[in-house]
């Protein structure tokens, strides 16, 4: 398997500009990795980084699109400080994407900014929720009908700890392995889930198949152990970018990471044929988000 990591030497967002090779790599599911491009925290901000900063009732600390902070334990001054630095990270992430991918502008929708202070290894989760297993991202309750999940990650560990990922096979290879095992889509079932508010809107066949890939990968322990993959160590002070709905990935260890999600509208890519929707449509030979699925 060819390396799924594209290393870029820029040390500041201002040094970046559009590069067709990087764009094609990203849209094929590879990870753009910036080992020298980090996010600067002031000393007093770094001092706030500790596991107990997260409200134990919340999985992560998040800043929503309207600037509301959730999941942080602490007094007003701490809340204000963390809100401010998460806002700076949001701006830096948006500028990074704007410089790398100017064609995406006006096609992006802002999602929450996340701060993850807990150790990956300490999480106790079901197999379906265990992100230490290779997977592509898909949302059980939020159908997206081909909208893309573009994510910017930064390791801000104050003591230099690494974030360790496994990165797996290209999306089409994954799809060819797990599509034959997928349960058939049933429109009546999708309508029932929507009527019961299990899903926020009608689950299209595309959303169904993405969930089948996600669950099929995580369920298959032989695939987890033996499929082609590489281990990647992201040091403190580094940044990486990928489409998490397309990049086969698993977070194995690490602590103190920030992440910005941006949703790219379906068809907004430079090369739509390389997207999960484009690939799954070609492999199945039918429309997966058409009027019939919305029916």
């Amino acid at each position: 398997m060819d390396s799924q990591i594209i290393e870029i030497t820029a040390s500041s967002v201002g040094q970046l500009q559009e590069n067709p090779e990087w764009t094609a790599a990203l849209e094929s599911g590879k990870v753009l990795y910036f080992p020298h491009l980090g996010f600067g925290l002031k000393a007093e901000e770094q001092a706030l980084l500790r596991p107990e900063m997260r409200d134990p009732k919340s999985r992560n600390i998040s800043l929503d699109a309207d600037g509301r902070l959730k999941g942080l334990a602490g007094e007003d001054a701490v809340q204000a400080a963390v809100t401010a630095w998460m806002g700076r990270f949001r701006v830096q992430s948006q500028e990074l994407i704007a410089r790398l991918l100017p064609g995406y502008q006006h096609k992006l929708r802002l999602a929450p900014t996340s701060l993850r202070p807990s150790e990956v290894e300490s999480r106790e989760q079901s197999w379906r929720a265990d992100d230490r297993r290779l997977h592509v991202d898909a949302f059980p309750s939020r159908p997206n009908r081909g909208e893309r999940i573009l994510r910017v990650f930064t390791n801000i560990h104050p003591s230099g700890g690494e974030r360790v990922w496994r990165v797996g096979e290209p999306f089409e290879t994954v799809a060819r392995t797990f599509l034959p095992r997928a349960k058939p889509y049933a429109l009546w079932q999708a309508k029932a889930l929507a009527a019961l508010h299990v899903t926020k809107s009608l689950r299209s066949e595309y959303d169904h198949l993405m969930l089948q890939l996600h669950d099929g990968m995580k369920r298959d322990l032989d695939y987890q152990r033996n499929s082609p993959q590489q281990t990647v160590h992201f040091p403190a002070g580094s940044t990486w970018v990928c489409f998490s709905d397309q990049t086969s990935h698993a977070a194995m260890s690490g602590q103190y990471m920030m992440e910005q999600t941006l949703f790219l509208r379906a068809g907004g890519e430079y090369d739509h044929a390389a997207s999960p929707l484009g690939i799954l449509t070609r492999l199945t030979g039918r429309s997966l988000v058409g009027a019939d699925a919305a029916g």
Side-chain angles (χ1 to χ4, degrees):
M1 183 182 76
D2 293 337
S3 176
Q4 298 300 293
I5 310 300
I6 305 299
E7 187 169 320
I8 300 170
T9 58
S11 58
S12 71
V13 172
Q15 295 174 0
L16 297 173
Q17 59 184 357
E18 186 176 20
N19 181 314
E21 292 184 3
W22 298 346
T23 301
L26 182 70
E27 291 194 346
S28 70
K30 295 189 176 183
V31 178
L32 301 186
Y33 168 44
F34 306 86
H36 308 298
L37 198 166
F39 174 70
L41 285 176
K42 302 169 186 175
E44 59 269 26
E45 292 172 332
Q46 279 199 346
L48 297 175
L49 287 172
R50 60 193 193 282
E52 57 270 25
M53 70 186 298
R54 176 180 60 83
D55 185 327
K57 297 179 181 178
S58 301
R59 181 176 178 181
N60 295 307
I61 298 164
S62 65
L63 185 70
D64 71 15
D66 295 320
R68 292 187 294 264
L69 190 67
K70 302 175 182 179
L72 177 68
E75 56 191 21
D76 289 349
V78 173
Q79 300 276 337
V82 175
T83 298
W85 99 52
M86 290 183 71
R88 295 202 318 270
F89 174 68
R90 171 177 291 178
V91 170
Q92 177 175 305
S93 299
Q94 290 175 301
E95 184 181 355
L96 185 155
I97 296 301
R99 286 181 171 273
L100 282 179
L101 303 153
Y104 287 2
Q105 298 311 297
H106 311 299
K107 302 176 184 178
L108 294 168
R109 180 168 64 88
L110 184 66
T113 310
S114 177
L115 169 60
R116 306 178 187 183
S118 302
E119 290 183 343
V120 170
E121 306 95 309
S122 66
R123 290 179 178 171
E124 294 185 7
Q125 298 172 313
S126 68
W127 66 266
R128 187 176 275 113
D130 187 355
D131 288 342
R132 292 170 295 186
R133 301 189 185 200
L134 285 168
H135 64 284
V136 290
D137 283 352
F139 300 135
S141 64
R142 289 179 286 157
N144 63 26
R145 306 181 67 82
E147 187 177 52
R148 306 300 311 282
I149 308 170
L150 179 62
R151 286 186 160 145
V152 180
F153 302 90
T154 297
N155 182 351
I156 59 169
H157 200 295
S159 303
E162 295 180 321
R163 192 83 172 183
V164 180
W165 273 23
R166 288 185 293 144
V167 178
E169 302 174 296
F171 182 85
E172 182 162 343
T173 306
V174 171
R176 288 183 180 276
T177 298
F178 289 98
L179 270 182
R181 311 181 196 178
K183 297 178 182 178
Y185 174 70
L187 181 57
W188 69 266
Q189 187 176 54
K191 289 181 176 180
L193 291 172
L196 294 169
H197 304 290
V198 175
T199 59
K200 296 183 183 301
S201 60
L202 188 72
R203 182 181 290 173
S204 68
E205 185 172 4
Y206 168 78
D207 296 293
H208 168 78
L209 291 177
M210 288 296 290
L211 287 167
Q212 290 290 299
L213 297 185
H214 173 278
D215 289 358
M217 294 171 74
K218 285 190 173 181
R219 186 186 294 114
D220 190 333
L221 295 181
D222 181 69
Y223 181 83
Q224 293 292 324
R225 288 188 296 264
N226 299 318
S227 64
Q229 57 192 271
Q230 63 187 113
T231 300
V232 189
H233 298 258
F234 297 112
S238 68
T239 293
W240 59 104
V241 179
C242 71
F243 280 110
S244 64
D245 55 336
Q246 184 168 12
T247 302
S248 172
H249 64 288
M252 303 308 297
S253 66
Q255 190 177 11
Y256 302 118
M257 185 187 73
M258 297 189 71
E259 174 262 313
Q260 178 63 58
T261 297
L262 298 162
F263 293 120
L264 176 68
R265 76 183 185 209
E269 309 91 348
Y270 288 76
D271 181 10
H272 177 61
S275 70
L277 178 56
I279 291 169
L280 292 177
T281 299
R282 173 167 51 80
L283 292 180
T284 59
R286 60 183 177 272
S287 172
L288 302 176
V289 294
D292 54 334

